[in-house]
Amino acid sequence: MSVSISVLASHSALDVLDGAKDEGLRTIAVAKRGRERAYREFPVVDELVVLDDYRDIIREAHRLKGSVFVPNRSFAVYVGYDAIEREFPIPIFGNRHLLRWEERVGPHSYYRLLDEAGVRRPRTYASPDEVDRPVMVKLPEAARRVERGFFVARDRDDLMRKARRLAERGIIRLEDLSGAAIEELVLGAHFNANFFQSPIYRRLELHSFDRRIQSDLDGVLRLPARDQLDLDPDVRYIEVGHEPATLRESLLEKVFDLGHRFVDAAARLVKPGVIGPFTLQFIVTPELDLVVYDVAPRIGGGTNAYMGIGGQYSKLYWGRPISIGRRIAMEIKEAVRQGRLEEVTT
């Protein structure tokens, strides 16, 4: 049985495509018209499907027949959880029902997953009126609804003052505050841990760490403190890239504990649980506690940082560094060889 790998051409698709080619698999990329150039320029795409809208992938799914589809954040955002779960007929690598648990509100949220896992996360507030300490406020941007607008506030009054200022500038909408995620601000060093849960090899693998590059936070941090105070910018925390990172080895015990707890919790709440890649984004406090502040229940946005060179910890499992994209292809190939593809797809 031969199989192709397909992916929505956005987010971390290049990692997926490159990894599939490394393993000799045919690749299909589904791009939106006007955003397909990189997938034409780089010769890792065997078939490029160009659509007027990402959501058209449901109607055009027959063009992906014979492939296993690898989901990323763009697929979840642009196509939608209901359509993915009920209408998308192509086998998805991983648990398609876990994707909606990436949200912060409603009955399916990563807060609930982390609580089930017994993992420390920032304290959350139901409304601005409850805020009694510095917080990070997370809500959709006014214009680009799929982008998350973040801002920091010292207390309740500062939160409302900044929210009004951002609304006046057209960055957020005040009415979105009622559904915003308001989290205790935890200070520390930020890391993204990229894991892989393998049903075929029956183990959890830690592949790499990366860190976010955010605009215009990165620009503000490059300014002298005096200029930061003079400018008083409204930092938007827009994720624009990632950079590789390592973590001191004495903390790896705690990182593995986070990963195993998350996998066990997902198996209880969202059967069949985690399959394949996932990312836990956490803060290391000065007391060396790990506080998880975000979850990606699919391939993370930072795995492209290791495309072509492989995650540093992956070598400890395979004798050579491999990327998450290649690890996905390896799992699919082995599942096909053993006649167990249904164990890694939903």
Side-chain angles (χ1 to χ4, degrees):
M1 174 184 177
S2 61
V3 66
S4 301
I5 288 184
S6 55
V7 64
L8 198 74
S10 182
H11 194 262
S12 45
L14 288 173
D15 184 17
V16 173
L17 295 164
D18 180 61
K21 296 299 288 183
D22 282 344
E23 289 299 308
L25 299 180
R26 182 173 178 272
T27 60
I28 307 172
V30 183
K32 181 178 179 180
R33 196 173 310 281
R35 296 180 61 177
E36 77 272 23
R37 183 163 186 172
Y39 308 93
R40 293 191 189 279
E41 296 278 356
F42 295 124
V44 291
V45 180
D46 292 312
E47 181 179 351
L48 181 63
V49 178
V50 180
L51 307 175
D52 291 326
D53 189 274
Y54 286 124
R55 192 173 170 82
D56 292 342
I57 194 174
I58 299 295
R59 187 180 66 247
E60 299 294 327
H62 63 277
R63 301 171 69 174
L64 310 180
K65 187 176 180 181
S67 73
V68 172
F69 191 87
V70 179
N72 53 32
R73 178 61 180 170
S74 294
F75 179 61
V77 166
Y78 293 118
V79 179
Y81 303 123
D82 289 343
I84 290 170
E85 291 179 3
R86 302 171 189 172
E87 302 175 44
F88 191 62
I90 303 302
I92 287 180
F93 180 72
N95 183 353
R96 70 174 70 200
H97 303 284
L98 190 58
L99 296 175
R100 69 168 63 241
W101 289 74
E102 187 168 355
E103 299 305 317
R104 299 181 175 92
V105 296
H108 308 101
S109 74
Y110 69 75
Y111 292 147
R112 184 179 168 198
L113 274 172
L114 295 176
D115 290 344
E116 174 73 18
V119 169
R120 182 182 169 187
R121 61 172 177 85
R123 175 184 173 184
T124 53
Y125 299 84
S127 75
D129 290 336
E130 296 181 2
V131 172
D132 60 354
R133 67 190 67 188
V135 292
M136 171 73 79
V137 184
K138 306 177 180 181
L139 71 172
E141 285 194 350
R144 301 180 303 167
R145 304 300 287 172
V146 299
E147 292 287 349
R148 298 159 179 170
F150 298 169
F151 68 93
V152 173
R154 290 190 302 271
D155 51 32
R156 178 185 58 191
D157 293 340
D158 189 44
L159 188 159
M160 294 308 301
R161 182 167 54 252
K162 287 183 175 177
R164 284 191 289 267
R165 185 169 71 183
L166 292 171
E168 289 170 358
R169 293 182 55 196
I171 296 174
I172 66 169
R173 300 175 184 174
L174 279 179
E175 57 265 32
D176 288 332
L177 272 181
S178 60
I182 305 174
E183 297 180 355
E184 161 198 12
L185 181 65
V186 179
L187 296 179
H190 291 233
F191 294 89
N192 300 336
N194 299 308
F195 290 97
F196 192 96
Q197 174 64 20
S198 171
I200 298 301
Y201 293 91
R202 301 185 185 280
R203 69 186 183 195
L204 174 67
E205 300 170 4
L206 173 64
H207 272 241
S208 59
F209 294 101
D210 64 78
R211 302 179 74 166
R212 291 178 173 180
I213 302 171
Q214 294 171 299
S215 184
D216 47 4
L217 176 63
D218 192 61
V220 171
L221 293 176
R222 292 173 183 272
L223 295 174
R226 179 179 57 206
D227 294 334
Q228 293 181 28
L229 292 171
D230 287 344
L231 292 172
D232 189 23
D234 293 315
V235 179
R236 296 177 62 185
Y237 300 92
I238 304 299
E239 184 175 325
V240 295
H242 293 258
E243 56 190 1
T246 60
L247 196 71
R248 58 189 281 185
E249 289 189 15
S250 60
L251 291 174
L252 292 179
E253 179 92 12
K254 295 181 179 181
V255 173
F256 274 109
D257 186 57
L258 293 180
H260 282 288
R261 285 175 175 268
F262 183 81
V263 167
D264 292 344
R268 292 192 294 270
L269 292 180
V270 202
K271 295 185 182 302
V274 180
I275 299 170
F278 68 98
T279 297
L280 299 181
Q281 302 177 20
F282 62 92
I283 297 163
V284 181
T285 71
E287 295 75 31
L288 302 184
D289 292 327
L290 274 53
V291 183
V292 177
Y293 68 92
D294 209 344
V295 168
R298 35 73 190 166
I299 188 170
T303 66
N304 276 353
Y306 292 100
M307 181 177 61
I309 57 175
Q312 66 272 54
Y313 300 99
S314 66
K315 183 178 185 298
L316 305 179
Y317 300 100
W318 300 100
R320 67 189 192 280
I322 60 171
S323 69
I324 285 288
R326 186 166 191 173
R327 182 65 187 87
I328 290 170
M330 292 165 62
E331 189 84 355
I332 291 172
K333 277 184 65 175
E334 186 61 21
V336 170
R337 190 187 72 80
Q338 295 185 26
R340 299 168 59 190
L341 189 60
E342 73 282 354
E343 294 184 33
V344 300
T345 58
T346 54

